[in-house]
Amino acid sequence: MTVRLGLLAILDQAPGYGYQLRSEFDRRTGSTWPLNVGQVYSTLERLDRDGLVERDDPAEGAAPGDGSTPGEQHRLWRITAAGRAEVARWLGTAVDSPDATRDELPLKFALAATLPGVDVVTLVQTQRRASLAKLQRLTRGKRAGGDPGAPGEFAWQLVVDSMIFAAEAEVRWLDHVESRVRRASLAERQWAVEATPGAPSAGPTAARSDRGRGETVRGRS
């Protein structure tokens, strides 16, 4: 979710001042995506430029601001019809996760697997310990939460659940990487043995040769 769409969805409920929108964003996302006031106001300015919100400028001589920035005057923001349509489109459309990844973890292991002299299994074990520690921290944090029925707490637990599932998937993926690396290493060693001149082979050709010798012995007998 972008901050842009999050603020727009909040404004779809009621007009608000910048500082109020920041507080509402924090409450509705379980305090898992902290915003600074400057980010809120710059986002609102872009929404205004795009015709998705409009602002009521304070009257001349109005009392200063909403407490977010020294000297900032009250400026009420409200959503436009185009903004409401954008919120409806966003809520009614599935999130399109990218097919490619820029996540450091899989890219790190992909590169490490191609570098000579790198013990990928040791890297996996180091990362697994860190991932399991993160999973334990998230689980303890969720259990230590407050009233799960409170709106802010419920929102926070939804986000933490997602982080827990992602950490569990990360650990399973690391198990998969270690298994694949070990199998690949075993296959390479086996190939090296079979490629050695004079080394015995257990392949199909050897099996056929054994059957042929057996048939010859039986024929002579």
Side-chain angles (χ1 to χ4, degrees), residues 81-142:
R84 292 187 189 281
E86 181 67 7
V87 171
R89 183 203 61 77
W90 176 56
L91 294 176
T93 305
V95 174
D96 184 16
S97 300
D99 294 332
T101 180
R102 294 188 178 181
D103 185 1
E104 179 183 357
L105 184 60
L107 295 180
K108 173 183 176 180
F109 280 96
L111 287 170
T114 68
L115 300 176
V118 176
D119 186 347
V120 180
V121 170
T122 298
L123 295 182
V124 168
Q125 292 169 349
T126 299
Q127 182 63 47
R128 185 190 290 113
R129 287 192 293 271
S131 299
L132 286 171
K134 178 175 70 174
L135 179 58
Q136 291 168 357
R137 286 196 306 271
L138 289 169
T139 303
R140 285 197 300 267
K142 180 182 177 183

Side-chain angles (χ1 to χ4, degrees), residues 200-217:
S201 174
T205 302
R208 286 196 298 270
S209 176
D210 289 343
R211 286 198 301 272
R213 286 196 298 271
E215 291 169 358
T216 301
V217 171

Side-chain angles (χ1 to χ4, degrees), residues 39-117:
Q39 187 176 7
V40 171
Y41 280 108
S42 63
T43 302
L44 289 169
E45 293 286 347
R46 289 193 296 272
L47 289 170
D48 183 34
R49 178 200 64 196
D50 296 338
L52 301 177
V53 302
E54 57 189 11
R55 57 189 175 185
D56 295 340
D57 290 327
E60 185 176 350
D66 51 16
S68 58
T69 306
E72 179 76 24
Q73 290 183 324
H74 276 291
R75 178 172 288 167
L76 186 67
W77 299 86
R78 63 180 75 249
I79 196 168
T80 64
R84 292 187 189 281
E86 181 67 7
V87 171
R89 183 203 61 77
W90 176 56
L91 294 176
T93 305
V95 174
D96 184 16
S97 300
D99 294 332
T101 180
R102 294 188 178 181
D103 185 1
E104 179 183 357
L105 184 60
L107 295 180
K108 173 183 176 180
F109 280 96
L111 287 170
T114 68
L115 300 176

Side-chain angles (χ1 to χ4, degrees), residues 123-177:
L123 295 182
V124 168
Q125 292 169 349
T126 299
Q127 182 63 47
R128 185 190 290 113
R129 287 192 293 271
S131 299
L132 286 171
K134 178 175 70 174
L135 179 58
Q136 291 168 357
R137 286 196 306 271
L138 289 169
T139 303
R140 285 197 300 267
K142 180 182 177 183
R143 290 173 180 169
D147 178 12
E153 185 71 17
F154 182 70
W156 175 79
Q157 289 204 1
L158 287 179
V159 177
V160 172
D161 282 341
S162 173
M163 296 167 67
I164 288 174
F165 292 150
E168 291 173 341
E170 184 173 286
V171 172
R172 291 197 302 272
W173 178 77
L174 289 166
D175 292 340
H176 170 73
V177 170

